[in-house]
Amino acid sequence: MANEAHPCPCDIGHRIEYGGLGHEVQVEHIKAYLTRSPVDAGKAVVVIQDIFGWQLPNTRYMADMIAGNGYTTIVPDFFVGQEPWHPSGDWSTFPEWLKTRNARKIDKEFDAVLKYLKQQCHAKRIGVVGFCWGGVAVHHVMMKYPELRAGVSVYGIIKDAEDVYSLKNPTLFIFAENDAVIPLEQVSLLTQKLKEHCKVEYQIKTFSGQTHGFVHRKREDCSPEDKPYIDEARRNLLEWLSKYV
Protein backbone atom coordinates (compact mmCIF):
# COMPACT_ATOMS: atom_id res chain seq x y z
CA MET A 1 0.00 0.00 0.00
CA ALA A 2 0.99 3.62 -0.14
CA ASN A 3 3.83 4.88 1.96
CA GLU A 4 2.79 8.51 1.82
CA ALA A 5 5.63 9.74 4.02
CA HIS A 6 8.26 8.43 1.63
CA PRO A 7 6.63 8.03 -1.78
CA CYS A 8 8.71 5.87 -4.08
CA PRO A 9 8.18 4.49 -7.59
CA CYS A 10 4.99 2.42 -7.88
CA ASP A 11 4.43 2.62 -4.13
CA ILE A 12 0.92 3.94 -4.63
CA GLY A 13 -1.39 1.28 -5.94
CA HIS A 14 -2.73 -2.22 -5.51
CA ARG A 15 -1.83 -5.76 -6.45
CA ILE A 16 -4.85 -7.07 -8.32
CA GLU A 17 -5.96 -10.66 -8.17
CA TYR A 18 -5.50 -12.02 -11.67
CA GLY A 19 -4.48 -15.40 -12.99
CA GLY A 20 -3.62 -14.62 -16.59
CA LEU A 21 -4.53 -15.97 -20.02
CA GLY A 22 -0.99 -16.75 -21.15
CA HIS A 23 1.77 -19.12 -20.07
CA GLU A 24 5.41 -18.95 -19.05
CA VAL A 25 8.17 -19.69 -21.54
CA GLN A 26 11.96 -19.78 -21.56
CA VAL A 27 13.66 -17.19 -23.77
CA GLU A 28 17.36 -18.05 -23.81
CA HIS A 29 18.64 -17.13 -20.32
CA ILE A 30 15.42 -15.54 -19.04
CA LYS A 31 11.84 -16.50 -18.31
CA ALA A 32 8.86 -14.70 -19.78
CA TYR A 33 5.06 -14.61 -19.75
CA LEU A 34 3.61 -15.01 -23.24
CA THR A 35 0.05 -14.46 -24.46
CA ARG A 36 -0.83 -15.22 -28.07
CA SER A 37 -3.23 -12.96 -29.89
CA PRO A 38 -6.57 -14.52 -30.89
CA VAL A 39 -5.76 -13.25 -34.39
CA ASP A 40 -2.22 -13.80 -35.66
CA ALA A 41 -1.49 -10.63 -37.60
CA GLY A 42 2.28 -10.77 -37.28
CA LYS A 43 2.24 -8.06 -34.61
CA ALA A 44 3.80 -8.28 -31.15
CA VAL A 45 4.32 -6.07 -28.10
CA VAL A 46 7.02 -6.38 -25.44
CA VAL A 47 5.58 -5.37 -22.06
CA ILE A 48 8.23 -4.25 -19.57
CA GLN A 49 7.67 -4.70 -15.84
CA ASP A 50 7.76 -2.19 -13.01
CA ILE A 51 9.89 -2.70 -9.89
CA PHE A 52 7.56 -5.47 -8.68
CA GLY A 53 8.74 -7.80 -11.41
CA TRP A 54 7.53 -9.78 -14.40
CA GLN A 55 5.14 -11.93 -12.33
CA LEU A 56 3.07 -9.04 -10.97
CA PRO A 57 -0.57 -9.85 -11.88
CA ASN A 58 -1.23 -6.21 -12.80
CA THR A 59 1.37 -6.29 -15.56
CA ARG A 60 0.10 -9.61 -16.89
CA TYR A 61 -3.41 -8.17 -16.89
CA MET A 62 -2.20 -5.28 -19.07
CA ALA A 63 -0.34 -7.69 -21.36
CA ASP A 64 -3.48 -9.78 -21.80
CA MET A 65 -5.52 -6.65 -22.50
CA ILE A 66 -3.07 -5.70 -25.25
CA ALA A 67 -3.10 -9.27 -26.60
CA GLY A 68 -6.89 -9.12 -26.87
CA ASN A 69 -6.45 -6.25 -29.30
CA GLY A 70 -4.45 -8.23 -31.85
CA TYR A 71 -0.88 -8.53 -30.55
CA THR A 72 1.19 -11.40 -29.26
CA THR A 73 2.46 -10.02 -25.96
CA ILE A 74 5.47 -11.01 -23.91
CA VAL A 75 6.49 -9.92 -20.40
CA PRO A 76 10.15 -10.93 -19.98
CA ASP A 77 11.98 -11.09 -16.66
CA PHE A 78 14.33 -8.16 -17.22
CA PHE A 79 15.64 -8.62 -13.66
CA VAL A 80 17.10 -11.93 -14.92
CA GLY A 81 16.15 -13.98 -11.89
CA GLN A 82 16.95 -11.31 -9.30
CA GLU A 83 14.25 -10.67 -6.73
CA PRO A 84 11.76 -7.91 -7.54
CA TRP A 85 11.09 -5.20 -5.01
CA HIS A 86 8.61 -6.14 -2.30
CA PRO A 87 6.02 -3.59 -1.09
CA SER A 88 7.00 -4.28 2.53
CA GLY A 89 10.67 -3.66 1.81
CA ASP A 90 12.70 -0.99 3.62
CA TRP A 91 12.52 1.97 1.25
CA SER A 92 15.76 3.37 2.65
CA THR A 93 17.53 0.48 0.89
CA PHE A 94 15.72 1.07 -2.40
CA PRO A 95 18.44 3.20 -4.09
CA GLU A 96 21.03 0.46 -3.50
CA TRP A 97 18.61 -2.22 -4.73
CA LEU A 98 17.95 -0.20 -7.87
CA LYS A 99 21.64 0.10 -8.73
CA THR A 100 21.73 -3.62 -9.53
CA ARG A 101 18.75 -3.32 -11.89
CA ASN A 102 19.51 -0.68 -14.49
CA ALA A 103 16.62 -0.13 -16.90
CA ARG A 104 19.07 1.12 -19.52
CA LYS A 105 21.18 -2.03 -19.44
CA ILE A 106 18.73 -4.57 -20.82
CA ASP A 107 20.03 -4.86 -24.38
CA LYS A 108 21.18 -8.48 -24.04
CA GLU A 109 17.75 -9.54 -22.79
CA PHE A 110 15.91 -7.34 -25.26
CA ASP A 111 17.86 -8.80 -28.17
CA ALA A 112 16.91 -12.31 -27.01
CA VAL A 113 13.23 -11.33 -26.78
CA LEU A 114 13.20 -9.77 -30.26
CA LYS A 115 14.80 -12.89 -31.70
CA TYR A 116 12.22 -15.08 -29.96
CA LEU A 117 9.29 -13.00 -31.21
CA LYS A 118 10.58 -13.09 -34.78
CA GLN A 119 11.51 -16.77 -34.88
CA GLN A 120 8.96 -18.41 -32.59
CA CYS A 121 5.99 -16.05 -32.95
CA HIS A 122 6.58 -14.90 -36.55
CA ALA A 123 6.32 -11.27 -35.49
CA LYS A 124 7.04 -8.76 -38.24
CA ARG A 125 5.94 -5.57 -36.50
CA ILE A 126 6.94 -5.04 -32.87
CA GLY A 127 6.09 -2.38 -30.30
CA VAL A 128 6.98 -1.92 -26.64
CA VAL A 129 5.06 -0.77 -23.54
CA GLY A 130 6.52 -0.25 -20.07
CA PHE A 131 5.43 0.92 -16.63
CA CYS A 132 7.59 2.93 -14.20
CA TRP A 133 10.96 1.09 -14.32
CA GLY A 134 9.70 -0.33 -17.59
CA GLY A 135 8.84 3.17 -18.79
CA VAL A 136 12.50 4.11 -18.41
CA ALA A 137 13.41 0.96 -20.35
CA VAL A 138 10.97 1.89 -23.14
CA HIS A 139 12.58 5.31 -23.44
CA HIS A 140 15.97 3.60 -23.73
CA VAL A 141 15.03 1.03 -26.38
CA MET A 142 13.11 3.61 -28.44
CA MET A 143 16.37 5.53 -28.77
CA LYS A 144 18.34 2.41 -29.71
CA TYR A 145 16.21 0.01 -31.79
CA PRO A 146 14.96 1.52 -35.08
CA GLU A 147 13.02 -1.69 -35.83
CA LEU A 148 10.54 -1.02 -33.02
CA ARG A 149 7.44 0.47 -34.64
CA ALA A 150 6.15 2.27 -31.55
CA GLY A 151 6.69 2.70 -27.83
CA VAL A 152 4.53 3.68 -24.87
CA SER A 153 6.35 4.84 -21.74
CA VAL A 154 3.97 4.96 -18.77
CA TYR A 155 5.27 7.12 -15.91
CA GLY A 156 8.89 6.32 -16.68
CA ILE A 157 11.30 8.45 -14.62
CA ILE A 158 13.06 10.99 -16.84
CA LYS A 159 15.18 13.15 -14.50
CA ASP A 160 18.41 11.20 -15.02
CA ALA A 161 18.07 10.83 -18.78
CA GLU A 162 20.41 12.57 -21.16
CA ASP A 163 19.89 12.89 -24.88
CA VAL A 164 16.21 12.14 -24.29
CA TYR A 165 15.07 13.39 -27.67
CA SER A 166 16.76 11.03 -30.15
CA LEU A 167 13.77 8.71 -30.53
CA LYS A 168 13.88 6.32 -33.49
CA ASN A 169 10.13 5.79 -33.87
CA PRO A 170 6.80 7.15 -32.55
CA THR A 171 6.62 7.22 -28.74
CA LEU A 172 3.77 8.06 -26.38
CA PHE A 173 4.59 9.27 -22.87
CA ILE A 174 1.92 9.01 -20.17
CA PHE A 175 2.37 10.88 -16.89
CA ALA A 176 0.29 11.62 -13.77
CA GLU A 177 -0.26 15.17 -12.56
CA ASN A 178 0.24 14.30 -8.87
CA ASP A 179 3.23 12.01 -9.30
CA ALA A 180 5.52 12.31 -6.27
CA VAL A 181 8.33 10.69 -8.26
CA ILE A 182 8.10 12.64 -11.52
CA PRO A 183 7.55 16.39 -10.92
CA LEU A 184 5.75 18.32 -13.63
CA GLU A 185 8.89 20.43 -14.20
CA GLN A 186 10.62 17.31 -15.52
CA VAL A 187 7.71 16.62 -17.85
CA SER A 188 7.92 20.22 -19.08
CA LEU A 189 11.65 19.85 -19.72
CA LEU A 190 11.08 16.62 -21.67
CA THR A 191 8.38 18.36 -23.69
CA GLN A 192 10.71 21.23 -24.50
CA LYS A 193 13.61 18.99 -25.54
CA LEU A 194 11.44 16.81 -27.75
CA LYS A 195 9.87 19.85 -29.39
CA GLU A 196 13.31 21.25 -30.17
CA HIS A 197 15.06 18.11 -31.33
CA CYS A 198 12.82 15.09 -31.95
CA LYS A 199 12.48 14.01 -35.59
CA VAL A 200 9.70 11.43 -35.18
CA GLU A 201 6.11 11.48 -33.96
CA TYR A 202 5.64 11.67 -30.20
CA GLN A 203 2.96 12.63 -27.72
CA ILE A 204 3.11 13.56 -24.04
CA LYS A 205 -0.08 13.25 -21.98
CA THR A 206 -0.37 14.23 -18.33
CA PHE A 207 -3.51 13.01 -16.57
CA SER A 208 -5.20 15.41 -14.17
CA GLY A 209 -5.36 14.45 -10.51
CA GLN A 210 -3.70 11.07 -10.99
CA THR A 211 -0.83 9.51 -9.04
CA HIS A 212 2.09 7.31 -10.01
CA GLY A 213 0.88 3.85 -11.02
CA PHE A 214 -2.65 4.88 -11.96
CA VAL A 215 -2.78 3.07 -15.31
CA HIS A 216 -1.96 -0.42 -14.04
CA ARG A 217 -1.81 -0.24 -10.25
CA LYS A 218 -5.27 1.01 -9.36
CA ARG A 219 -8.03 -1.51 -8.85
CA GLU A 220 -10.84 -1.78 -11.35
CA ASP A 221 -13.25 -0.75 -8.57
CA CYS A 222 -11.31 2.45 -7.89
CA SER A 223 -13.04 5.71 -7.11
CA PRO A 224 -15.47 6.88 -9.81
CA GLU A 225 -13.54 10.11 -10.41
CA ASP A 226 -10.35 8.17 -11.26
CA LYS A 227 -11.84 5.56 -13.58
CA PRO A 228 -12.34 7.81 -16.64
CA TYR A 229 -8.65 8.76 -16.56
CA ILE A 230 -7.54 5.14 -16.24
CA ASP A 231 -9.81 4.12 -19.10
CA GLU A 232 -8.61 7.01 -21.26
CA ALA A 233 -4.93 6.24 -20.66
CA ARG A 234 -5.43 2.58 -21.55
CA ARG A 235 -7.40 3.57 -24.65
CA ASN A 236 -4.63 6.00 -25.67
CA LEU A 237 -2.07 3.23 -25.22
CA LEU A 238 -4.01 0.87 -27.49
CA GLU A 239 -4.70 3.59 -30.07
CA TRP A 240 -0.99 4.42 -30.27
CA LEU A 241 -0.11 0.78 -30.88
CA SER A 242 -2.90 0.44 -33.43
CA LYS A 243 -1.70 3.50 -35.33
CA TYR A 244 1.97 2.61 -35.56
CA VAL A 245 2.56 -1.11 -35.01
mmCIF file of all heavy atoms in Angstrom, residues 14-15 18 25 29 33 59 67 69 73 94 108 116 176 189 197 200 205 214 219 234-235:
data_model
loop_
_atom_site.group_PDB
_atom_site.id
_atom_site.type_symbol
_atom_site.label_atom_id
_atom_site.label_comp_id
_atom_site.label_asym_id
_atom_site.label_seq_id
_atom_site.Cartn_x
_atom_site.Cartn_y
_atom_site.Cartn_z
ATOM 1 N N HIS A 14 -2.253 -0.960 -6.035
ATOM 2 C CA HIS A 14 -2.733 -2.219 -5.515
ATOM 3 C C HIS A 14 -2.226 -3.382 -6.357
ATOM 4 O O HIS A 14 -1.991 -3.237 -7.555
ATOM 5 C CB HIS A 14 -4.267 -2.255 -5.516
ATOM 6 C CG HIS A 14 -4.889 -1.073 -4.845
ATOM 7 N ND1 HIS A 14 -5.284 0.055 -5.535
ATOM 8 C CD2 HIS A 14 -5.167 -0.840 -3.532
ATOM 9 C CE1 HIS A 14 -5.793 0.932 -4.674
ATOM 10 N NE2 HIS A 14 -5.738 0.421 -3.467
ATOM 11 N N ARG A 15 -2.109 -4.521 -5.740
ATOM 12 C CA ARG A 15 -1.834 -5.763 -6.450
ATOM 13 C C ARG A 15 -3.186 -6.409 -6.725
ATOM 14 O O ARG A 15 -3.898 -6.797 -5.805
ATOM 15 C CB ARG A 15 -0.963 -6.679 -5.586
ATOM 16 C CG ARG A 15 -0.641 -8.034 -6.233
ATOM 17 C CD ARG A 15 0.055 -8.936 -5.228
ATOM 18 N NE ARG A 15 0.295 -10.256 -5.783
ATOM 19 C CZ ARG A 15 1.448 -10.637 -6.329
ATOM 20 N NH1 ARG A 15 2.453 -9.787 -6.391
ATOM 21 N NH2 ARG A 15 1.594 -11.847 -6.813
ATOM 22 N N TYR A 18 -5.312 -11.703 -10.253
ATOM 23 C CA TYR A 18 -5.498 -12.025 -11.670
ATOM 24 C C TYR A 18 -4.626 -13.217 -12.025
ATOM 25 O O TYR A 18 -3.442 -13.245 -11.702
ATOM 26 C CB TYR A 18 -5.133 -10.814 -12.538
ATOM 27 C CG TYR A 18 -5.299 -11.050 -14.019
ATOM 28 C CD1 TYR A 18 -6.573 -11.137 -14.582
ATOM 29 C CD2 TYR A 18 -4.198 -11.209 -14.848
ATOM 30 C CE1 TYR A 18 -6.740 -11.366 -15.939
ATOM 31 C CE2 TYR A 18 -4.346 -11.427 -16.202
ATOM 32 C CZ TYR A 18 -5.625 -11.505 -16.748
ATOM 33 O OH TYR A 18 -5.786 -11.742 -18.090
ATOM 34 N N VAL A 25 7.264 -19.076 -20.575
ATOM 35 C CA VAL A 25 8.174 -19.693 -21.541
ATOM 36 C C VAL A 25 9.607 -19.340 -21.168
ATOM 37 O O VAL A 25 9.854 -18.425 -20.385
ATOM 38 C CB VAL A 25 7.873 -19.213 -22.983
ATOM 39 C CG1 VAL A 25 6.484 -19.649 -23.432
ATOM 40 C CG2 VAL A 25 8.028 -17.692 -23.101
ATOM 41 N N HIS A 29 18.250 -17.072 -21.738
ATOM 42 C CA HIS A 29 18.644 -17.133 -20.319
ATOM 43 C C HIS A 29 17.604 -16.537 -19.380
ATOM 44 O O HIS A 29 17.860 -16.427 -18.179
ATOM 45 C CB HIS A 29 19.981 -16.416 -20.123
ATOM 46 C CG HIS A 29 19.956 -14.950 -20.476
ATOM 47 N ND1 HIS A 29 19.735 -14.499 -21.761
ATOM 48 C CD2 HIS A 29 20.101 -13.835 -19.709
ATOM 49 C CE1 HIS A 29 19.764 -13.186 -21.773
ATOM 50 N NE2 HIS A 29 19.978 -12.747 -20.545
ATOM 51 N N TYR A 33 6.496 -14.307 -19.681
ATOM 52 C CA TYR A 33 5.064 -14.606 -19.745
ATOM 53 C C TYR A 33 4.576 -14.231 -21.139
ATOM 54 O O TYR A 33 4.767 -13.096 -21.596
ATOM 55 C CB TYR A 33 4.325 -13.794 -18.684
ATOM 56 C CG TYR A 33 2.820 -13.876 -18.757
ATOM 57 C CD1 TYR A 33 2.138 -14.981 -18.248
ATOM 58 C CD2 TYR A 33 2.072 -12.834 -19.301
ATOM 59 C CE1 TYR A 33 0.744 -15.040 -18.297
ATOM 60 C CE2 TYR A 33 0.684 -12.883 -19.347
ATOM 61 C CZ TYR A 33 0.033 -13.993 -18.844
ATOM 62 O OH TYR A 33 -1.343 -14.056 -18.893
ATOM 63 N N THR A 59 0.676 -6.406 -14.283
ATOM 64 C CA THR A 59 1.371 -6.290 -15.558
ATOM 65 C C THR A 59 0.887 -7.356 -16.535
ATOM 66 O O THR A 59 0.725 -7.098 -17.727
ATOM 67 C CB THR A 59 2.889 -6.405 -15.337
ATOM 68 O OG1 THR A 59 3.278 -5.475 -14.316
ATOM 69 C CG2 THR A 59 3.651 -6.098 -16.617
ATOM 70 N N ALA A 67 -2.989 -8.089 -25.736
ATOM 71 C CA ALA A 67 -3.101 -9.272 -26.599
ATOM 72 C C ALA A 67 -4.501 -9.394 -27.190
ATOM 73 O O ALA A 67 -4.668 -9.772 -28.355
ATOM 74 C CB ALA A 67 -2.746 -10.530 -25.810
ATOM 75 N N ASN A 69 -6.267 -7.231 -28.227
ATOM 76 C CA ASN A 69 -6.447 -6.254 -29.300
ATOM 77 C C ASN A 69 -5.583 -6.556 -30.530
ATOM 78 O O ASN A 69 -5.366 -5.679 -31.368
ATOM 79 C CB ASN A 69 -6.153 -4.851 -28.773
ATOM 80 C CG ASN A 69 -7.280 -4.301 -27.931
ATOM 81 O OD1 ASN A 69 -8.169 -3.628 -28.429
ATOM 82 N ND2 ASN A 69 -7.262 -4.603 -26.633
ATOM 83 N N THR A 73 1.764 -10.812 -26.970
ATOM 84 C CA THR A 73 2.460 -10.018 -25.962
ATOM 85 C C THR A 73 3.390 -10.891 -25.137
ATOM 86 O O THR A 73 3.107 -12.060 -24.875
ATOM 87 C CB THR A 73 1.475 -9.302 -25.011
ATOM 88 O OG1 THR A 73 0.628 -10.272 -24.384
ATOM 89 C CG2 THR A 73 0.621 -8.298 -25.760
ATOM 90 N N PHE A 94 16.155 1.134 -1.000
ATOM 91 C CA PHE A 94 15.718 1.074 -2.401
ATOM 92 C C PHE A 94 16.773 1.593 -3.395
ATOM 93 O O PHE A 94 17.021 0.949 -4.420
ATOM 94 C CB PHE A 94 14.403 1.841 -2.578
ATOM 95 C CG PHE A 94 13.872 1.809 -3.983
ATOM 96 C CD1 PHE A 94 13.271 0.668 -4.481
ATOM 97 C CD2 PHE A 94 13.974 2.918 -4.812
ATOM 98 C CE1 PHE A 94 12.777 0.626 -5.784
ATOM 99 C CE2 PHE A 94 13.486 2.893 -6.103
ATOM 100 C CZ PHE A 94 12.888 1.745 -6.585
ATOM 101 N N LYS A 108 20.976 -7.039 -23.830
ATOM 102 C CA LYS A 108 21.183 -8.481 -24.041
ATOM 103 C C LYS A 108 19.854 -9.225 -23.966
ATOM 104 O O LYS A 108 19.541 -10.074 -24.818
ATOM 105 C CB LYS A 108 22.158 -9.023 -23.000
ATOM 106 C CG LYS A 108 22.440 -10.521 -23.140
ATOM 107 C CD LYS A 108 23.390 -11.006 -22.039
ATOM 108 C CE LYS A 108 23.631 -12.502 -22.135
ATOM 109 N NZ LYS A 108 24.485 -12.987 -21.022
ATOM 110 N N TYR A 116 13.278 -14.112 -30.267
ATOM 111 C CA TYR A 116 12.218 -15.080 -29.958
ATOM 112 C C TYR A 116 10.917 -14.707 -30.663
ATOM 113 O O TYR A 116 10.250 -15.568 -31.269
ATOM 114 C CB TYR A 116 12.008 -15.137 -28.447
ATOM 115 C CG TYR A 116 10.942 -16.119 -27.999
ATOM 116 C CD1 TYR A 116 11.262 -17.437 -27.698
ATOM 117 C CD2 TYR A 116 9.615 -15.716 -27.870
ATOM 118 C CE1 TYR A 116 10.285 -18.343 -27.292
ATOM 119 C CE2 TYR A 116 8.630 -16.607 -27.463
ATOM 120 C CZ TYR A 116 8.979 -17.926 -27.185
ATOM 121 O OH TYR A 116 7.993 -18.812 -26.792
ATOM 122 N N ALA A 176 1.349 11.272 -14.722
ATOM 123 C CA ALA A 176 0.291 11.624 -13.770
ATOM 124 C C ALA A 176 0.593 13.005 -13.190
ATOM 125 O O ALA A 176 1.738 13.313 -12.855
ATOM 126 C CB ALA A 176 0.213 10.590 -12.653
ATOM 127 N N LEU A 189 10.318 19.850 -19.109
ATOM 128 C CA LEU A 189 11.650 19.845 -19.721
ATOM 129 C C LEU A 189 11.718 18.817 -20.853
ATOM 130 O O LEU A 189 12.275 19.089 -21.924
ATOM 131 C CB LEU A 189 12.715 19.537 -18.669
ATOM 132 C CG LEU A 189 14.169 19.558 -19.145
ATOM 133 C CD1 LEU A 189 14.529 20.933 -19.700
ATOM 134 C CD2 LEU A 189 15.113 19.181 -18.008
ATOM 135 N N HIS A 197 14.108 19.015 -30.685
ATOM 136 C CA HIS A 197 15.062 18.109 -31.331
ATOM 137 C C HIS A 197 14.468 16.846 -31.962
ATOM 138 O O HIS A 197 15.099 16.254 -32.846
ATOM 139 C CB HIS A 197 16.120 17.657 -30.316
ATOM 140 C CG HIS A 197 16.872 18.783 -29.677
ATOM 141 N ND1 HIS A 197 17.831 19.513 -30.349
ATOM 142 C CD2 HIS A 197 16.799 19.313 -28.430
ATOM 143 C CE1 HIS A 197 18.322 20.439 -29.542
ATOM 144 N NE2 HIS A 197 17.714 20.342 -28.373
ATOM 145 N N VAL A 200 10.788 12.388 -34.921
ATOM 146 C CA VAL A 200 9.697 11.433 -35.175
ATOM 147 C C VAL A 200 8.454 11.861 -34.393
ATOM 148 O O VAL A 200 8.494 12.778 -33.581
ATOM 149 C CB VAL A 200 10.098 9.985 -34.778
ATOM 150 C CG1 VAL A 200 11.309 9.523 -35.575
ATOM 151 C CG2 VAL A 200 10.368 9.880 -33.276
ATOM 152 N N LYS A 205 1.218 13.008 -22.625
ATOM 153 C CA LYS A 205 -0.078 13.248 -21.980
ATOM 154 C C LYS A 205 0.085 13.175 -20.465
ATOM 155 O O LYS A 205 0.660 12.211 -19.946
ATOM 156 C CB LYS A 205 -1.110 12.215 -22.434
ATOM 157 C CG LYS A 205 -1.562 12.392 -23.884
ATOM 158 C CD LYS A 205 -2.896 11.728 -24.155
ATOM 159 C CE LYS A 205 -4.042 12.417 -23.451
ATOM 160 N NZ LYS A 205 -5.377 11.892 -23.871
ATOM 161 N N PHE A 214 -1.196 4.901 -11.791
ATOM 162 C CA PHE A 214 -2.651 4.884 -11.960
ATOM 163 C C PHE A 214 -3.122 4.004 -13.108
ATOM 164 O O PHE A 214 -4.226 3.458 -13.062
ATOM 165 C CB PHE A 214 -3.194 6.318 -12.123
ATOM 166 C CG PHE A 214 -3.026 6.929 -13.488
ATOM 167 C CD1 PHE A 214 -4.094 6.964 -14.375
ATOM 168 C CD2 PHE A 214 -1.808 7.481 -13.882
ATOM 169 C CE1 PHE A 214 -3.964 7.545 -15.630
ATOM 170 C CE2 PHE A 214 -1.664 8.055 -15.131
ATOM 171 C CZ PHE A 214 -2.739 8.086 -16.011
ATOM 172 N N ARG A 219 -7.038 -0.454 -8.662
ATOM 173 C CA ARG A 219 -8.034 -1.508 -8.848
ATOM 174 C C ARG A 219 -9.117 -1.069 -9.831
ATOM 175 O O ARG A 219 -9.386 0.112 -9.989
ATOM 176 C CB ARG A 219 -8.678 -1.870 -7.512
ATOM 177 C CG ARG A 219 -7.780 -2.620 -6.559
ATOM 178 C CD ARG A 219 -8.616 -3.174 -5.414
ATOM 179 N NE ARG A 219 -9.324 -2.116 -4.720
ATOM 180 C CZ ARG A 219 -8.995 -1.671 -3.502
ATOM 181 N NH1 ARG A 219 -7.966 -2.194 -2.874
ATOM 182 N NH2 ARG A 219 -9.696 -0.717 -2.916
ATOM 183 N N ARG A 234 -5.537 3.898 -20.920
ATOM 184 C CA ARG A 234 -5.435 2.578 -21.549
ATOM 185 C C ARG A 234 -5.885 2.636 -23.007
ATOM 186 O O ARG A 234 -5.287 1.995 -23.885
ATOM 187 C CB ARG A 234 -6.267 1.566 -20.760
ATOM 188 C CG ARG A 234 -5.693 1.282 -19.379
ATOM 189 C CD ARG A 234 -6.560 0.319 -18.578
ATOM 190 N NE ARG A 234 -5.966 0.051 -17.270
ATOM 191 C CZ ARG A 234 -6.492 -0.753 -16.367
ATOM 192 N NH1 ARG A 234 -7.645 -1.377 -16.626
ATOM 193 N NH2 ARG A 234 -5.887 -0.948 -15.208
ATOM 194 N N ARG A 235 -6.921 3.406 -23.267
ATOM 195 C CA ARG A 235 -7.404 3.565 -24.646
ATOM 196 C C ARG A 235 -6.337 4.265 -25.508
ATOM 197 O O ARG A 235 -6.071 3.863 -26.646
ATOM 198 C CB ARG A 235 -8.705 4.364 -24.647
ATOM 199 C CG ARG A 235 -9.377 4.468 -26.017
ATOM 200 C CD ARG A 235 -10.779 5.029 -25.901
ATOM 201 N NE ARG A 235 -10.787 6.412 -25.391
ATOM 202 C CZ ARG A 235 -11.226 6.760 -24.194
ATOM 203 N NH1 ARG A 235 -11.701 5.853 -23.344
ATOM 204 N NH2 ARG A 235 -11.211 8.034 -23.809
#
